[in-house]
Amino acid sequence: MPTSELQAWLTRAVAALLALVLLHLLRPRRRKVEVPFGGLWRRVLGSVEARSLGRRWQRLLSFLMFVAFLGLLLGAQLGDLLHPERVVRPRRQGSTVLLIDRSASMATRDGASEAGPVARLDEAKNRAAQWLDQLPPDEDVLLAVASGSFEVCAGWGSDRQAIHKALESVTASQGGMDLNRAVRSAAQMLQGRPGARLLVASDGGLPLQPLETAPVPLQWLWAGPLGAAGYDSKVPYVLANLAVEQAAIRAQADDPDRGVLTVQVRNDTGKNVRARLAIFAADTGETTGDLAKDRNLRRLVDVQLPAGATTVQVPDLELVDARFAVRVEPQHPDLIDLAHWDDWGLAVVAAQRRLKVLWVGDKNHYLDAALAATGRADVQRVAPADYHPEAWRAVDRARHGIDLVILDGVLAEAPDGLATWRLGLDLARDATQLAHNPEVLVRAADHPAMRGVSFQDTNFDAVRLLPIQSGQKVLAAASLGGGRSAAVMLASEVPVRQLTWGIDLRETDLVGRYALPILASNALAWLAGEDQPLLQPLELGRPWAVDAPLPTGSWQYREPGQPPRPARLSAGQFVGSSEAFGLHQWTHISGETVVRPTSLPPSERPTALLHQGEGVRDRPVQAASDTGNNWPIYMAYLVVVLFGLLLEWTAYLRRRTV
Amino acid sequence: MADRPQQPINGGPHVRADLFDASFLGRVEQLALLARRTATSGAQAHRRSKKIGAGLEFAEHRDYSAGDDMAQLDWALLARSDQVQIREYEEEEDLSVYFLVDHSQSMAVGAEGEISLLDRALQVAAALGYIALSNLDRVSVVPFAQGASAPMRAVRGRGQFFAVLRALSAIEPAGKTDIRQAIDDFVRHQPRPGLVVLVSDFFDPQGLGDALRLLAYRGFEPMLLHLCDQQLLQAGAYGDVTLVDSETGELCELTLTPALMAEYRHAFTEFSAEIERAARQVAARCLQLDVAVPFDEAVLKVFRQGGFLG
């Protein structure tokens, strides 16, 4: 007897034993009570006419009913355990085309898995391999891939090893996918074969056209941000995704007590969609979840969203509350937005926004006091020995929790993509020159970092003279006499904003002057980018085009984590695509710079009108949604059992005997 | 019952110490005093069986007949009215008090941790017996169930109290209740007529009427002490039970519900009324004693309401 069959029998035996034990425990038992004179009781029973057959059996019948209900309930719950063949039902000999989407979007790495970002294609291949392992051995399988074209990788056969090998060799292409054409091609391959079935492993992101009715039973193996819950072919509505890309709140020029909420919304449905923006506001709360309460709802705005990205401005919002959350949702009830996690955006009035600051350096009471005086810095201090930029970059990417980094007297790299504020006298190994007791003058009073600041009568015991590099702006300089001066404070915006102070707060009486808290406040605000306009983010894994200020000339493109390379220009736009997360930067030879951040990993959604034909009924593995669909049945069982118990209790109260 | 402690009290080798301990004896003594006080307060406490014979108190005259003792001739009357009359005197006899104690199995049933009907019956019989002995009556104990044992030799005087206690202590629960058969057995031993105190739960399927009529016919004066356990009538735990008849062992499955318990209480009340009716038919007194009531209170009730020895 095979081991699996033996295990099944053992399972049944254990279940039967448990049932017997349960019945034994639940059997009706009566306490024995000794009475002095049974005759009196018999007289009582005779007088109440309680010895009818129905009453005698009432108790036993109700007990049997209860056991039956309980058995049904347990049977429903344990059905899959006792009858695994119901989950993996042997199929008759059939033919399956396994169609793998190898379009460019399948190369996108999603961060949903615990092991880290996984390319959608790898996920699709893993699921397809699992499916293959579950298929009956006599099932004929054909492996095909599709992007721009339909290609067969492994022909009809039941040699699983060959299919697995071919599956391993599938790689993503650079093009998109015509799903309709691929399905039609697969259907042709299945024509005339018994038990025809088409299995599509895709992220469903492209194309945006409605999916035609498939000529063969079609089932999806989902590989994308939707996760394992997958795709129910019986759902008769359109799946779509609307997402809030970015949200910002600014005071209106004519009324500082009112603001304009600028919301950047993405519509992935490929068509115009009527949507609604729900705007919430509160004076506390750090997340959208904190704000998403009915009492915080401030306004509902109906908008028409064309396909792609749209910027919506909602004016005249009272700035009594500093924090605003906005949610986008489709208005049409048949339009289901499957990705709820990207429907929210959070905007905070700049002056009231708390900044998360990573401070690397030793204890510095002066800097500590200056940051505290700004009233908006949540500081996390890390000793230089414990600071590793790579680790903090990973934390930042996972949490998006740090706005800027302060490197106080530390010769270390800043995490990529984070604004940095360096200060101290040991700022760079090649900056060897120190100046003692110099006169320091503000050189860029109009710069946001220097507004309202003067160093008049401020003494500096020592300052570091900083070499000026390309793209850096001198904020303050030390007068060296003889008309010479050298930079002491620098600012740069490429690739991210950086402030560099050749000043040690322990070597100056600046700490005793009102200029320091102003400087600190300016520095935080500028580094946090609050004066920046909204930048159009780039979507990972998708082709994009960014307007180039100068259509001609030599542009260098710097992709995060990659060395600079010549930029690709087409019709006055930078074109390309990238999987790299961070700031993308184009630099012209003239110094002109264009910077675009990438958004969070996008959530491509199927926009196809769903197939209404016969679906594949037997799934190789039970999806999580299957369990959820059984709950109504379980609840019905529960209601029946409760009703039975209620009847039993009522009968108990009414009856005299059995 | 087999493990009931039996310790000698004042030389009695078989007196149950759990029932008849020192405090019991003290309370019985107090009861005797109370009974005496009751007697002097108006109610006649001493009962005597009257017999015309050789007593001291004049009873009546009767005509002389040949063979009469000439010493009994009333010479004064003869001289005064020329009538020949014999003086007759009243002869006083001791009252015989028989305690017929039911020791059937039903008397042993009781709530756990509570005193059983039988034990309460023994206590009540002991206390009443002590009072009777104090009253110089003859006391005898007769256990009965399906039949009656031979009556214990009647004893008289307070000094015989421990003989009564020993007789009571020897009683163990056994057998079914058949009161008619028990009375038959009792009267077959031709005891002297007297007061018969029946201490029982009277759970007899045959009923009580015949037995009481037989007693009355034989010149006995029955007195019924109906012992019951009200706690058994208020079963707190309802539910499915199998009732076991303590005497017959018969089973009866039912579900105890408040409604059924109310029916049972009603049936018990009717049953008690039947017993009282049967007692009234022979002019006997009947008292219901709850086992939860302390024995001394029960005894006083017997005195005050039942007119024991009154």
Side-chain angles (χ1 to χ4, degrees), chain A residues 30-33 35-38 41-42 45 59 655-657, chain B residues 106 203 240-246 250 252-255 257:
Chain A
R30 293 175 178 276
R31 287 179 294 118
K32 282 196 173 180
V33 176
V35 292
F37 188 42
W41 282 102
R42 279 189 291 277
L45 298 181
R59 168 72 183 169
R655 75 169 165 257
R656 306 287 173 86
T657 182
Chain B
S106 65
F203 283 142
D240 298 327
V241 294
T242 300
L243 299 183
V244 184
D245 190 308
S246 60
E250 288 179 21
C252 179
E253 290 188 347
L254 50 78
T255 302
T257 63

PDB file of all heavy atoms in Angstrom, chain A residues 30-33 35-38 41-42 45 59 655-657, chain B residues 106 203 240-246 250 252-255 257:
ATOM      1  N   ARG A  30     -27.274  10.040  32.864  1.00  0.00           N
ATOM      2  CA  ARG A  30     -28.209  10.433  33.910  1.00  0.00           C
ATOM      3  C   ARG A  30     -27.579  10.160  35.261  1.00  0.00           C
ATOM      4  O   ARG A  30     -26.929   9.146  35.456  1.00  0.00           O
ATOM      5  CB  ARG A  30     -29.493   9.637  33.788  1.00  0.00           C
ATOM      6  CG  ARG A  30     -30.276   9.955  32.529  1.00  0.00           C
ATOM      7  CD  ARG A  30     -31.464   9.039  32.419  1.00  0.00           C
ATOM      8  NE  ARG A  30     -32.243   9.367  31.237  1.00  0.00           N
ATOM      9  CZ  ARG A  30     -33.170  10.317  31.203  1.00  0.00           C
ATOM     10  NH1 ARG A  30     -33.437  11.000  32.300  1.00  0.00           N
ATOM     11  NH2 ARG A  30     -33.826  10.571  30.107  1.00  0.00           N
ATOM     12  N   ARG A  31     -27.790  11.084  36.110  1.00  0.00           N
ATOM     13  CA  ARG A  31     -27.347  10.862  37.485  1.00  0.00           C
ATOM     14  C   ARG A  31     -28.308   9.912  38.158  1.00  0.00           C
ATOM     15  O   ARG A  31     -29.515   9.946  37.900  1.00  0.00           O
ATOM     16  CB  ARG A  31     -27.341  12.188  38.255  1.00  0.00           C
ATOM     17  CG  ARG A  31     -26.216  13.105  37.861  1.00  0.00           C
ATOM     18  CD  ARG A  31     -26.292  14.397  38.638  1.00  0.00           C
ATOM     19  NE  ARG A  31     -27.492  15.153  38.288  1.00  0.00           N
ATOM     20  CZ  ARG A  31     -28.449  15.448  39.155  1.00  0.00           C
ATOM     21  NH1 ARG A  31     -28.354  15.077  40.402  1.00  0.00           N
ATOM     22  NH2 ARG A  31     -29.502  16.137  38.761  1.00  0.00           N
ATOM     23  N   LYS A  32     -27.767   9.063  38.987  1.00  0.00           N
ATOM     24  CA  LYS A  32     -28.638   8.178  39.763  1.00  0.00           C
ATOM     25  C   LYS A  32     -28.948   8.853  41.092  1.00  0.00           C
ATOM     26  O   LYS A  32     -28.040   9.301  41.799  1.00  0.00           O
ATOM     27  CB  LYS A  32     -27.954   6.836  39.994  1.00  0.00           C
ATOM     28  CG  LYS A  32     -28.018   5.932  38.774  1.00  0.00           C
ATOM     29  CD  LYS A  32     -27.697   4.502  39.112  1.00  0.00           C
ATOM     30  CE  LYS A  32     -27.944   3.601  37.902  1.00  0.00           C
ATOM     31  NZ  LYS A  32     -27.656   2.208  38.176  1.00  0.00           N
ATOM     32  N   VAL A  33     -30.206   8.931  41.385  1.00  0.00           N
ATOM     33  CA  VAL A  33     -30.629   9.561  42.630  1.00  0.00           C
ATOM     34  C   VAL A  33     -31.491   8.558  43.385  1.00  0.00           C
ATOM     35  O   VAL A  33     -32.465   8.027  42.840  1.00  0.00           O
ATOM     36  CB  VAL A  33     -31.431  10.851  42.349  1.00  0.00           C
ATOM     37  CG1 VAL A  33     -31.951  11.436  43.639  1.00  0.00           C
ATOM     38  CG2 VAL A  33     -30.567  11.856  41.607  1.00  0.00           C
ATOM     39  N   VAL A  35     -34.176   7.557  45.913  1.00  0.00           N
ATOM     40  CA  VAL A  35     -35.341   8.189  46.547  1.00  0.00           C
ATOM     41  C   VAL A  35     -35.958   7.183  47.503  1.00  0.00           C
ATOM     42  O   VAL A  35     -35.880   5.971  47.294  1.00  0.00           O
ATOM     43  CB  VAL A  35     -36.377   8.629  45.492  1.00  0.00           C
ATOM     44  CG1 VAL A  35     -35.837   9.753  44.651  1.00  0.00           C
ATOM     45  CG2 VAL A  35     -36.803   7.469  44.616  1.00  0.00           C
ATOM     46  N   PRO A  36     -36.561   7.663  48.574  1.00  0.00           N
ATOM     47  CA  PRO A  36     -37.094   6.734  49.560  1.00  0.00           C
ATOM     48  C   PRO A  36     -38.285   5.943  49.022  1.00  0.00           C
ATOM     49  O   PRO A  36     -38.486   4.802  49.405  1.00  0.00           O
ATOM     50  CB  PRO A  36     -37.507   7.642  50.718  1.00  0.00           C
ATOM     51  CG  PRO A  36     -37.613   9.003  50.139  1.00  0.00           C
ATOM     52  CD  PRO A  36     -36.664   9.054  49.012  1.00  0.00           C
ATOM     53  N   PHE A  37     -39.054   6.556  48.145  1.00  0.00           N
ATOM     54  CA  PHE A  37     -40.296   5.904  47.761  1.00  0.00           C
ATOM     55  C   PHE A  37     -40.591   6.193  46.292  1.00  0.00           C
ATOM     56  O   PHE A  37     -41.080   7.267  45.947  1.00  0.00           O
ATOM     57  CB  PHE A  37     -41.413   6.445  48.648  1.00  0.00           C
ATOM     58  CG  PHE A  37     -42.712   5.709  48.477  1.00  0.00           C
ATOM     59  CD1 PHE A  37     -42.748   4.322  48.370  1.00  0.00           C
ATOM     60  CD2 PHE A  37     -43.903   6.394  48.435  1.00  0.00           C
ATOM     61  CE1 PHE A  37     -43.951   3.647  48.228  1.00  0.00           C
ATOM     62  CE2 PHE A  37     -45.113   5.722  48.286  1.00  0.00           C
ATOM     63  CZ  PHE A  37     -45.121   4.350  48.180  1.00  0.00           C
ATOM     64  N   GLY A  38     -40.246   5.225  45.447  1.00  0.00           N
ATOM     65  CA  GLY A  38     -40.461   5.423  44.014  1.00  0.00           C
ATOM     66  C   GLY A  38     -41.924   5.495  43.645  1.00  0.00           C
ATOM     67  O   GLY A  38     -42.281   6.086  42.625  1.00  0.00           O
ATOM     68  N   TRP A  41     -43.162   8.931  43.071  1.00  0.00           N
ATOM     69  CA  TRP A  41     -42.737   9.501  41.789  1.00  0.00           C
ATOM     70  C   TRP A  41     -43.551   8.923  40.640  1.00  0.00           C
ATOM     71  O   TRP A  41     -43.900   9.630  39.703  1.00  0.00           O
ATOM     72  CB  TRP A  41     -41.241   9.240  41.563  1.00  0.00           C
ATOM     73  CG  TRP A  41     -40.374  10.155  42.347  1.00  0.00           C
ATOM     74  CD1 TRP A  41     -39.717   9.879  43.491  1.00  0.00           C
ATOM     75  CD2 TRP A  41     -40.106  11.526  42.046  1.00  0.00           C
ATOM     76  NE1 TRP A  41     -39.036  10.967  43.938  1.00  0.00           N
ATOM     77  CE2 TRP A  41     -39.258  12.016  43.062  1.00  0.00           C
ATOM     78  CE3 TRP A  41     -40.491  12.393  41.044  1.00  0.00           C
ATOM     79  CZ2 TRP A  41     -38.801  13.302  43.095  1.00  0.00           C
ATOM     80  CZ3 TRP A  41     -40.024  13.696  41.068  1.00  0.00           C
ATOM     81  CH2 TRP A  41     -39.192  14.134  42.089  1.00  0.00           C
ATOM     82  N   ARG A  42     -43.830   7.628  40.728  1.00  0.00           N
ATOM     83  CA  ARG A  42     -44.638   7.022  39.655  1.00  0.00           C
ATOM     84  C   ARG A  42     -46.027   7.639  39.632  1.00  0.00           C
ATOM     85  O   ARG A  42     -46.611   7.841  38.575  1.00  0.00           O
ATOM     86  CB  ARG A  42     -44.706   5.510  39.853  1.00  0.00           C
ATOM     87  CG  ARG A  42     -43.475   4.782  39.335  1.00  0.00           C
ATOM     88  CD  ARG A  42     -43.671   3.276  39.336  1.00  0.00           C
ATOM     89  NE  ARG A  42     -43.717   2.746  40.695  1.00  0.00           N
ATOM     90  CZ  ARG A  42     -42.640   2.449  41.427  1.00  0.00           C
ATOM     91  NH1 ARG A  42     -41.445   2.621  40.903  1.00  0.00           N
ATOM     92  NH2 ARG A  42     -42.755   1.985  42.636  1.00  0.00           N
ATOM     93  N   LEU A  45     -45.600  10.901  37.871  1.00  0.00           N
ATOM     94  CA  LEU A  45     -45.441  10.756  36.419  1.00  0.00           C
ATOM     95  C   LEU A  45     -46.752  10.352  35.775  1.00  0.00           C
ATOM     96  O   LEU A  45     -47.068  10.784  34.666  1.00  0.00           O
ATOM     97  CB  LEU A  45     -44.362   9.719  36.113  1.00  0.00           C
ATOM     98  CG  LEU A  45     -42.967  10.081  36.621  1.00  0.00           C
ATOM     99  CD1 LEU A  45     -41.970   9.000  36.234  1.00  0.00           C
ATOM    100  CD2 LEU A  45     -42.529  11.413  36.048  1.00  0.00           C
ATOM    101  N   ARG A  59     -35.675  13.304  24.202  1.00  0.00           N
ATOM    102  CA  ARG A  59     -34.314  13.641  24.607  1.00  0.00           C
ATOM    103  C   ARG A  59     -33.279  13.010  23.671  1.00  0.00           C
ATOM    104  O   ARG A  59     -32.364  13.652  23.202  1.00  0.00           O
ATOM    105  CB  ARG A  59     -34.104  13.176  26.044  1.00  0.00           C
ATOM    106  CG  ARG A  59     -32.684  13.204  26.513  1.00  0.00           C
ATOM    107  CD  ARG A  59     -32.199  14.596  26.719  1.00  0.00           C
ATOM    108  NE  ARG A  59     -30.802  14.608  27.111  1.00  0.00           N
ATOM    109  CZ  ARG A  59     -30.060  15.688  27.153  1.00  0.00           C
ATOM    110  NH1 ARG A  59     -30.571  16.836  26.817  1.00  0.00           N
ATOM    111  NH2 ARG A  59     -28.813  15.642  27.526  1.00  0.00           N
ATOM    112  N   ARG A 655     -40.413  20.047  29.014  1.00  0.00           N
ATOM    113  CA  ARG A 655     -40.769  18.648  29.204  1.00  0.00           C
ATOM    114  C   ARG A 655     -40.654  18.252  30.677  1.00  0.00           C
ATOM    115  O   ARG A 655     -39.932  18.856  31.447  1.00  0.00           O
ATOM    116  CB  ARG A 655     -39.887  17.761  28.348  1.00  0.00           C
ATOM    117  CG  ARG A 655     -38.492  17.610  28.876  1.00  0.00           C
ATOM    118  CD  ARG A 655     -37.771  16.530  28.136  1.00  0.00           C
ATOM    119  NE  ARG A 655     -36.359  16.665  28.412  1.00  0.00           N
ATOM    120  CZ  ARG A 655     -35.512  17.184  27.543  1.00  0.00           C
ATOM    121  NH1 ARG A 655     -35.922  17.585  26.377  1.00  0.00           N
ATOM    122  NH2 ARG A 655     -34.238  17.294  27.848  1.00  0.00           N
ATOM    123  N   ARG A 656     -41.391  17.211  31.017  1.00  0.00           N
ATOM    124  CA  ARG A 656     -41.349  16.692  32.378  1.00  0.00           C
ATOM    125  C   ARG A 656     -40.394  15.504  32.461  1.00  0.00           C
ATOM    126  O   ARG A 656     -39.743  15.278  33.441  1.00  0.00           O
ATOM    127  CB  ARG A 656     -42.729  16.239  32.822  1.00  0.00           C
ATOM    128  CG  ARG A 656     -43.787  17.297  32.682  1.00  0.00           C
ATOM    129  CD  ARG A 656     -43.573  18.339  33.747  1.00  0.00           C
ATOM    130  NE  ARG A 656     -44.466  19.465  33.554  1.00  0.00           N
ATOM    131  CZ  ARG A 656     -45.701  19.525  34.024  1.00  0.00           C
ATOM    132  NH1 ARG A 656     -46.183  18.538  34.717  1.00  0.00           N
ATOM    133  NH2 ARG A 656     -46.456  20.568  33.813  1.00  0.00           N
ATOM    134  N   THR A 657     -40.450  14.699  31.453  1.00  0.00           N
ATOM    135  CA  THR A 657     -39.615  13.506  31.483  1.00  0.00           C
ATOM    136  C   THR A 657     -39.432  13.024  30.054  1.00  0.00           C
ATOM    137  O   THR A 657     -39.948  13.620  29.124  1.00  0.00           O
ATOM    138  CB  THR A 657     -40.257  12.405  32.328  1.00  0.00           C
ATOM    139  OG1 THR A 657     -39.371  11.295  32.363  1.00  0.00           O
ATOM    140  CG2 THR A 657     -41.571  11.958  31.727  1.00  0.00           C
TER     141      THR A 657
ATOM    142  N   SER B 106     -35.977   2.862  53.221  1.00  0.00           N
ATOM    143  CA  SER B 106     -36.362   4.237  52.875  1.00  0.00           C
ATOM    144  C   SER B 106     -36.036   5.201  54.007  1.00  0.00           C
ATOM    145  O   SER B 106     -35.858   6.396  53.770  1.00  0.00           O
ATOM    146  CB  SER B 106     -37.859   4.292  52.568  1.00  0.00           C
ATOM    147  OG  SER B 106     -38.615   3.980  53.710  1.00  0.00           O
ATOM    148  N   PHE B 203     -43.976   5.246  54.035  1.00  0.00           N
ATOM    149  CA  PHE B 203     -43.945   4.968  52.598  1.00  0.00           C
ATOM    150  C   PHE B 203     -44.253   3.484  52.401  1.00  0.00           C
ATOM    151  O   PHE B 203     -43.357   2.666  52.229  1.00  0.00           O
ATOM    152  CB  PHE B 203     -42.577   5.320  52.006  1.00  0.00           C
ATOM    153  CG  PHE B 203     -42.364   6.798  51.806  1.00  0.00           C
ATOM    154  CD1 PHE B 203     -41.128   7.378  52.057  1.00  0.00           C
ATOM    155  CD2 PHE B 203     -43.400   7.604  51.356  1.00  0.00           C
ATOM    156  CE1 PHE B 203     -40.940   8.730  51.856  1.00  0.00           C
ATOM    157  CE2 PHE B 203     -43.200   8.963  51.160  1.00  0.00           C
ATOM    158  CZ  PHE B 203     -41.976   9.524  51.418  1.00  0.00           C
ATOM    159  N   ASP B 240     -31.386  15.444  33.952  1.00  0.00           N
ATOM    160  CA  ASP B 240     -31.740  14.061  33.663  1.00  0.00           C
ATOM    161  C   ASP B 240     -31.242  13.169  34.783  1.00  0.00           C
ATOM    162  O   ASP B 240     -30.032  13.148  35.068  1.00  0.00           O
ATOM    163  CB  ASP B 240     -31.104  13.645  32.337  1.00  0.00           C
ATOM    164  CG  ASP B 240     -31.632  14.487  31.197  1.00  0.00           C
ATOM    165  OD1 ASP B 240     -32.811  14.871  31.262  1.00  0.00           O
ATOM    166  OD2 ASP B 240     -30.871  14.762  30.256  1.00  0.00           O
ATOM    167  N   VAL B 241     -32.135  12.403  35.366  1.00  0.00           N
ATOM    168  CA  VAL B 241     -31.756  11.540  36.484  1.00  0.00           C
ATOM    169  C   VAL B 241     -32.448  10.200  36.316  1.00  0.00           C
ATOM    170  O   VAL B 241     -33.430  10.063  35.602  1.00  0.00           O
ATOM    171  CB  VAL B 241     -32.160  12.151  37.844  1.00  0.00           C
ATOM    172  CG1 VAL B 241     -31.398  13.411  38.122  1.00  0.00           C
ATOM    173  CG2 VAL B 241     -33.653  12.394  37.895  1.00  0.00           C
ATOM    174  N   THR B 242     -31.855   9.236  36.971  1.00  0.00           N
ATOM    175  CA  THR B 242     -32.504   7.940  37.122  1.00  0.00           C
ATOM    176  C   THR B 242     -32.813   7.769  38.600  1.00  0.00           C
ATOM    177  O   THR B 242     -31.894   7.727  39.426  1.00  0.00           O
ATOM    178  CB  THR B 242     -31.577   6.813  36.641  1.00  0.00           C
ATOM    179  OG1 THR B 242     -31.271   7.027  35.262  1.00  0.00           O
ATOM    180  CG2 THR B 242     -32.253   5.464  36.794  1.00  0.00           C
ATOM    181  N   LEU B 243     -34.081   7.698  38.911  1.00  0.00           N
ATOM    182  CA  LEU B 243     -34.466   7.554  40.307  1.00  0.00           C
ATOM    183  C   LEU B 243     -34.402   6.078  40.678  1.00  0.00           C
ATOM    184  O   LEU B 243     -34.872   5.212  39.938  1.00  0.00           O
ATOM    185  CB  LEU B 243     -35.879   8.092  40.521  1.00  0.00           C
ATOM    186  CG  LEU B 243     -36.078   9.567  40.197  1.00  0.00           C
ATOM    187  CD1 LEU B 243     -37.506   9.977  40.525  1.00  0.00           C
ATOM    188  CD2 LEU B 243     -35.100  10.437  40.960  1.00  0.00           C
ATOM    189  N   VAL B 244     -33.808   5.793  41.822  1.00  0.00           N
ATOM    190  CA  VAL B 244     -33.692   4.419  42.310  1.00  0.00           C
ATOM    191  C   VAL B 244     -34.512   4.322  43.588  1.00  0.00           C
ATOM    192  O   VAL B 244     -34.250   5.051  44.554  1.00  0.00           O
ATOM    193  CB  VAL B 244     -32.213   4.063  42.585  1.00  0.00           C
ATOM    194  CG1 VAL B 244     -32.102   2.605  42.987  1.00  0.00           C
ATOM    195  CG2 VAL B 244     -31.368   4.352  41.360  1.00  0.00           C
ATOM    196  N   ASP B 245     -35.478   3.440  43.559  1.00  0.00           N
ATOM    197  CA  ASP B 245     -36.276   3.230  44.756  1.00  0.00           C
ATOM    198  C   ASP B 245     -35.396   2.546  45.799  1.00  0.00           C
ATOM    199  O   ASP B 245     -34.823   1.478  45.542  1.00  0.00           O
ATOM    200  CB  ASP B 245     -37.492   2.367  44.424  1.00  0.00           C
ATOM    201  CG  ASP B 245     -38.474   2.332  45.585  1.00  0.00           C
ATOM    202  OD1 ASP B 245     -38.041   2.028  46.713  1.00  0.00           O
ATOM    203  OD2 ASP B 245     -39.667   2.608  45.354  1.00  0.00           O
ATOM    204  N   SER B 246     -35.282   3.143  46.960  1.00  0.00           N
ATOM    205  CA  SER B 246     -34.332   2.641  47.949  1.00  0.00           C
ATOM    206  C   SER B 246     -34.740   1.266  48.472  1.00  0.00           C
ATOM    207  O   SER B 246     -33.893   0.510  48.933  1.00  0.00           O
ATOM    208  CB  SER B 246     -34.238   3.625  49.108  1.00  0.00           C
ATOM    209  OG  SER B 246     -35.511   3.775  49.703  1.00  0.00           O
ATOM    210  N   GLU B 250     -36.213  -0.363  42.095  1.00  0.00           N
ATOM    211  CA  GLU B 250     -36.778  -0.052  40.785  1.00  0.00           C
ATOM    212  C   GLU B 250     -36.208   1.265  40.269  1.00  0.00           C
ATOM    213  O   GLU B 250     -35.943   2.184  41.056  1.00  0.00           O
ATOM    214  CB  GLU B 250     -38.302   0.045  40.890  1.00  0.00           C
ATOM    215  CG  GLU B 250     -38.975  -1.291  41.089  1.00  0.00           C
ATOM    216  CD  GLU B 250     -40.487  -1.125  41.203  1.00  0.00           C
ATOM    217  OE1 GLU B 250     -40.998  -0.092  40.744  1.00  0.00           O
ATOM    218  OE2 GLU B 250     -41.127  -2.027  41.763  1.00  0.00           O
ATOM    219  N   CYS B 252     -36.413   4.584  37.599  1.00  0.00           N
ATOM    220  CA  CYS B 252     -37.370   5.440  36.914  1.00  0.00           C
ATOM    221  C   CYS B 252     -36.591   6.605  36.316  1.00  0.00           C
ATOM    222  O   CYS B 252     -36.002   7.407  37.042  1.00  0.00           O
ATOM    223  CB  CYS B 252     -38.426   5.939  37.897  1.00  0.00           C
ATOM    224  SG  CYS B 252     -39.632   7.017  37.133  1.00  0.00           S
ATOM    225  N   GLU B 253     -36.538   6.668  34.976  1.00  0.00           N
ATOM    226  CA  GLU B 253     -35.778   7.724  34.326  1.00  0.00           C
ATOM    227  C   GLU B 253     -36.679   8.920  34.074  1.00  0.00           C
ATOM    228  O   GLU B 253     -37.792   8.761  33.551  1.00  0.00           O
ATOM    229  CB  GLU B 253     -35.215   7.216  32.996  1.00  0.00           C
ATOM    230  CG  GLU B 253     -34.114   6.195  33.174  1.00  0.00           C
ATOM    231  CD  GLU B 253     -33.453   5.871  31.860  1.00  0.00           C
ATOM    232  OE1 GLU B 253     -34.006   6.253  30.826  1.00  0.00           O
ATOM    233  OE2 GLU B 253     -32.389   5.238  31.879  1.00  0.00           O
ATOM    234  N   LEU B 254     -36.201  10.040  34.436  1.00  0.00           N
ATOM    235  CA  LEU B 254     -36.974  11.254  34.173  1.00  0.00           C
ATOM    236  C   LEU B 254     -36.047  12.453  34.186  1.00  0.00           C
ATOM    237  O   LEU B 254     -34.870  12.348  34.522  1.00  0.00           O
ATOM    238  CB  LEU B 254     -38.101  11.429  35.194  1.00  0.00           C
ATOM    239  CG  LEU B 254     -37.767  11.329  36.676  1.00  0.00           C
ATOM    240  CD1 LEU B 254     -37.130  12.593  37.172  1.00  0.00           C
ATOM    241  CD2 LEU B 254     -39.028  11.043  37.457  1.00  0.00           C
ATOM    242  N   THR B 255     -36.594  13.559  33.798  1.00  0.00           N
ATOM    243  CA  THR B 255     -35.852  14.820  33.823  1.00  0.00           C
ATOM    244  C   THR B 255     -36.464  15.712  34.885  1.00  0.00           C
ATOM    245  O   THR B 255     -37.632  16.079  34.798  1.00  0.00           O
ATOM    246  CB  THR B 255     -35.926  15.510  32.460  1.00  0.00           C
ATOM    247  OG1 THR B 255     -35.402  14.639  31.480  1.00  0.00           O
ATOM    248  CG2 THR B 255     -35.116  16.798  32.466  1.00  0.00           C
ATOM    249  N   THR B 257     -37.371  18.797  36.551  1.00  0.00           N
ATOM    250  CA  THR B 257     -37.542  20.201  36.201  1.00  0.00           C
ATOM    251  C   THR B 257     -38.293  20.868  37.336  1.00  0.00           C
ATOM    252  O   THR B 257     -38.897  20.184  38.176  1.00  0.00           O
ATOM    253  CB  THR B 257     -38.353  20.339  34.905  1.00  0.00           C
ATOM    254  OG1 THR B 257     -39.656  19.793  35.135  1.00  0.00           O
ATOM    255  CG2 THR B 257     -37.706  19.608  33.755  1.00  0.00           C
TER     256      THR B 257
END
